[in-house]
Amino acid sequence: MNKKDRDYFKSVLLKFRQDLMGQIDQVKENDLNSTLRDAAGDHSAYSYHMADQGTDNMEREKNFFYVQRDNHTMQDIIEALERIEAGTFGMCVECGQKINRDRLEAMPYAIFCVQCKSDLEKITRNNHFMTGDAF
Ligand SMILES: [Zn+2]
């Protein structure tokens, strides 16, 4: 990968990181707001609001899930930026082959080539199947 490509992917990744940080802040803010609302709630009427409460909790769990997922992506992006600096960006961490350009365009923080990724997915599926079998 030449310097021009590296600079290109670096700017893409920095943009990804910025967008993601914005999203995470947004989720955190929503969570904080609903926590404050709960704290200010009228507890004598608590039972009447159980249904709402449940929805809120589910909503919060969903947000939590998104934050978790985003944190993973964030980690991937940071590592991809480190790989750009190290000069190993765009190479599969498994087999060392170049990752397909189209794949990098779609997912600049990809660390596996298409082949290794699909092999890994097969292994994951098989493990899942075996676990199901054992029980
Ligand atoms: Zn590979």
Side-chain angles (χ1 to χ4, degrees):
M1 188 167 281
N2 60 36
K3 188 178 183 310
K4 189 166 150 273
D5 283 343
R6 274 206 305 274
D7 285 348
Y8 165 75
F9 281 113
K10 188 174 177 175
S11 71
V12 172
L13 282 161
L14 288 172
K15 173 89 171 61
F16 263 60
R17 193 176 67 168
Q18 203 173 4
D19 287 354
L20 205 55
M21 280 202 273
Q23 278 173 31
I24 290 171
D25 283 350
Q26 188 76 40
V27 172
K28 278 191 187 145
E29 209 164 290
N30 286 343
D31 197 38
L32 187 65
N33 284 342
S34 75
T35 307
L36 289 177
R37 204 175 57 220
D38 285 354
D42 180 356
H43 290 279
S44 64
Y46 185 70
S47 59
Y48 292 107
H49 292 291
M50 280 297 264
D52 290 347
Q53 199 82 36
T55 316
D56 269 7
N57 282 342
M58 254 172 67
E59 206 57 39
R60 227 175 303 165
E61 269 169 34
K62 225 163 48 187
N63 283 343
F64 182 70
F65 171 75
Y66 284 136
V67 172
Q68 289 290 94
R69 195 196 55 181
D70 285 349
N71 278 343
H72 281 300
T73 312
M74 183 63 96
Q75 193 58 40
D76 290 345
I77 291 169
I78 290 165
E79 282 171 17
L81 284 164
E82 284 172 359
R83 283 201 305 275
I84 286 179
E85 298 305 327
T88 56
F89 177 79
M91 282 190 267
C92 175
V93 297
E94 187 67 23
C95 68
Q97 298 294 313
K98 273 188 193 165
I99 299 172
N100 184 294
R101 172 86 192 207
D102 287 347
R103 180 164 162 74
L104 283 176
E105 292 275 356
M107 201 198 273
Y109 44 85
I111 57 170
F112 297 115
C113 67
V114 179
Q115 186 58 48
C116 291
K117 175 81 179 149
S118 86
D119 286 352
L120 274 174
E121 274 167 7
K122 257 181 258 168
I123 292 167
T124 313
R125 262 206 303 277
N126 284 343
N127 281 345
H128 183 70
F129 178 69
M130 273 155 64
T131 314
D133 226 14
F135 287 94

